[in-house]
């Protein structure tokens, strides 16, 4: 057995063929509200066709609360697919309609590259950390 045969640290062994890993093995979302009323949704994992609806639902429910600012922390995202990009664009449109400031934290090439290649990066306020 080599180390590549072992599950990643902190990850359950999902090597059984024919079974699908539950969404929470692919994406983890957490939400926090700062004293200043800024809501941060932290995303860890992969944002693809299967996980994007989970992210969209979380972001939509946060926007319904009309926070002063919504921060989407994508620093833990290892893959951002077209479905994830679509969620970000829709969230941008929704936040503008509700007059909620939106900021992305994008520290990895896995996130910045798809935004750059598609030309979508100019739609967003991008930060490289949670510092204001």
């Amino acid at each position: 057995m080599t180390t590549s045969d072992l599950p990643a640290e902190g990850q359950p062994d999902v090597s059984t063929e024919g079974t699908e890993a539950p969404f929470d093995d692919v994406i983890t979302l957490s939400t926090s509200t700062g004293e200043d009323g800024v809501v941060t949704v932290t995303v860890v994992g992969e944002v693809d066709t299967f996980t994007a609806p989970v992210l969209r639902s979380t972001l939509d429910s946060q926007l319904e609360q009309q926070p002063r600012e919504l921060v989407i922390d994508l620093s833990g995202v290892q893959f951002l697919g077209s479905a994830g990009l679509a969620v970000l664009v829709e969230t941008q449109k929704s936040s503008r309609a509700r007059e909620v400031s939106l900021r992305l934290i994008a520290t990895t090439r896995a996130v910045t590259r798809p935004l750059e290649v598609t030309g979508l990066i100019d739609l967003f306020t991008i930060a490289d950390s949670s510092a204001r």
Side-chain angles (χ1 to χ4, degrees):
M1 178 182 285
T2 65
T3 55
S4 64
D5 294 329
L6 298 173
E9 186 174 324
Q11 296 294 316
D13 183 3
V14 290
S15 60
T16 308
E17 288 184 16
T19 61
E20 292 181 7
F23 287 131
D24 60 359
D25 285 345
V26 181
I27 190 171
T28 303
L29 302 173
S30 60
T31 302
S32 62
T33 303
E35 291 178 16
D36 54 1
V38 175
V39 173
T40 301
V41 175
T42 303
V43 185
V44 177
E46 300 176 0
V47 185
D48 57 20
T49 303
F50 298 108
T51 60
V54 177
L55 177 59
R56 171 172 263 146
S57 175
T58 298
L59 295 173
D60 286 348
S61 67
Q62 292 306 314
L63 282 175
E64 286 173 12
Q65 305 300 316
Q66 299 259 163
R68 184 174 67 78
E69 181 179 22
L70 177 62
V71 176
I72 306 172
D73 184 348
L74 301 169
S75 56
V77 171
Q78 293 120 8
F79 175 80
L80 180 63
S82 59
L85 291 170
V87 167
L88 294 178
V89 170
E90 288 299 317
T91 301
Q92 174 68 348
K93 289 178 184 177
S94 296
S95 67
R96 280 191 180 155
R98 294 172 188 263
E99 298 181 359
V100 173
S101 176
L102 178 68
R103 184 164 41 107
L104 304 182
I105 298 175
T107 59
T108 63
R109 185 165 170 79
V111 173
T112 58
R113 184 72 176 144
L115 288 169
E116 289 168 352
V117 168
T118 58
L120 295 173
I121 198 157
D122 295 332
L123 290 178
F124 301 99
T125 300
I126 308 282
D128 57 9
S129 72
S130 58
R132 290 192 218 332

